[in-house]
Amino acid sequence: MIQTCLFPAAGYGTRFLPATKSLPKEMLPILTKPLIHYGVDEAREAGMRNMAFVTGRGKRALEDYFDISYELEHQIAGSNKEYLLSEIRDLMSSCSFSFTRQSAMKGLGHAIYTGKNLVGDEPFGVILADDLCVNEDGVNVMSQMTQIYEKYRCSIVAVMEVPKQNVSSYGVVNGKFIEDDLMMVSDMVEKPDPKDAPTNLAIIGRYILTPDIFEILETTNPGKNGEIQITDALLKQAQNGMVLAYKFKGRRFDCGSVSGFVEATNFFYEHDNGSK
Ligand code: G1P
């Protein structure tokens, strides 16, 4: 059973300026819950109980969110508004939360490496909260991936097909399908030019990583945009052993973009109203 989920959350969220000038982008709400809460819910449903966050300057609201707010608790205790806190209270009582800071923005690979001490020598999940995933017909994306991990015991990345002209926003994989929706990765490239992209299978923000990734990251040189890329480290891992790319079931909203964020908001609004 995978116990820990790592949430890299140090990014600036420049696409949401000026809102993100003083508000972490992970705290932007879809309806009444911040994005990060959806990610943590997904990890908890997948059986993970240690929630580990790599934050940065200006991200203290994340720590406060997963802590008791005494004033607020006192204020609404016994009132008809108390139920509004029940979901987050329930989450807080069933998981542990730990935080570390990435002091310089050196890429996703570096952010994950910064989380090493929070993770330990165990396989772990990684969720990028601005990729919001839903699967209305069954288990969530991280749970789908933990099931695959139980069988193959190697690192796994979630992928989806994107229009070829969009591949330059993603890590892209290539390899051989060993099951209908499961590819053994032989090539991986971070944000390729569409004309150089091996496929249109794009990595989205869900990973299961085996802990040897930390050693690999230690010797991974800066790649695309001068940043240490998890994609480059995973390619090394694939070359030394095995990495799988999984075409997940469900839907992903790119909440790192304004249009994706609005789409997700509309989706959850319709969904919530439909269920009332
Ligand atoms: C990161 C990864 C990229 C992946 C993407 C998914 O990029 O580096 O490989 O496809 O997340 O959202 P970012 O969007 O942080 O630039």
Side-chain angles (χ1 to χ4, degrees), residues 45-233:
E45 268 173 54
M48 299 167 183
R49 291 293 177 270
N50 304 329
M51 306 299 168
F53 302 81
V54 178
T55 68
R57 281 182 294 282
K59 298 274 188 167
R60 279 190 44 196
L62 282 169
E63 291 180 49
D64 292 340
Y65 185 72
F66 294 107
D67 193 3
I68 302 274
S69 166
Y70 283 106
E71 255 178 57
L72 184 65
E73 297 276 334
H74 178 75
Q75 199 78 37
I76 72 169
S79 82
N80 60 0
K81 290 191 180 151
E82 207 169 352
Y83 75 97
L84 294 168
L85 285 180
S86 56
E87 198 179 339
I88 179 75
R89 277 180 182 161
D90 174 47
L91 183 66
M92 282 165 53
S93 62
S94 62
C95 302
S96 69
F97 301 87
S98 53
F99 298 84
T100 191
R101 281 190 182 200
Q102 186 188 17
S103 49
M105 305 294 268
K106 295 186 193 162
L108 181 57
H110 182 260
I112 291 173
Y113 185 75
T114 305
K116 183 180 174 193
N117 291 338
L118 301 181
V119 169
D121 194 23
E122 301 279 333
F124 60 103
V126 175
I127 290 182
L128 306 184
D130 49 16
D131 279 337
L132 207 172
C133 294
V134 292
N135 182 23
E136 288 176 283
D137 308 324
V139 297
N140 71 38
V141 176
M142 189 49 89
S143 302
Q144 294 167 40
M145 293 172 73
T146 55
Q147 285 168 14
I148 296 168
Y149 178 80
E150 289 305 315
K151 185 167 171 194
Y152 290 97
R153 307 254 159 195
C154 67
S155 290
I156 305 164
V157 298
V159 294
M160 63 184 263
E161 287 182 33
V162 298
K164 193 92 184 198
Q165 70 270 18
N166 296 346
V167 290
S168 54
S169 303
Y170 300 94
V172 172
V173 299
N174 198 7
K176 196 173 98 189
F177 277 98
I178 56 170
E179 289 184 31
D180 280 353
D181 46 13
L182 204 57
M183 174 189 267
M184 193 187 289
V185 172
S186 58
D187 193 17
M188 241 177 179
V189 44
E190 180 68 10
K191 303 195 173 89
D193 200 296
K195 67 177 179 358
D196 305 324
T199 67
N200 66 338
L201 279 176
I203 302 170
I204 60 113
R206 299 290 179 281
Y207 305 77
I208 286 179
L209 301 175
T210 53
D212 54 310
I213 200 73
F214 292 123
E215 259 172 59
I216 302 176
L217 279 166
E218 257 169 41
T219 57
T220 299
N221 293 322
K224 188 81 183 184
N225 301 328
E227 296 176 337
I228 296 172
Q229 300 293 351
I230 190 65
T231 307
D232 296 341

Side-chain angles (χ1 to χ4, degrees), residues 226-246:
E227 296 176 337
I228 296 172
Q229 300 293 351
I230 190 65
T231 307
D232 296 341
L234 280 162
L235 176 59
K236 285 192 209 164
Q237 208 180 30
Q239 287 162 347
N240 299 338
M242 184 160 87
V243 171
L244 295 171
Y246 169 58

Side-chain angles (χ1 to χ4, degrees), residues 4-35:
T4 302
C5 191
L6 191 67
F7 296 87
Y12 295 128
T14 46
R15 278 185 282 182
F16 285 89
L17 281 170
T20 46
K21 186 168 173 254
S22 59
L23 180 74
K25 63 174 173 161
E26 298 78 10
M27 289 303 295
L28 293 170
I30 300 287
L31 308 187
T32 56
K33 274 196 318 192
L35 272 175

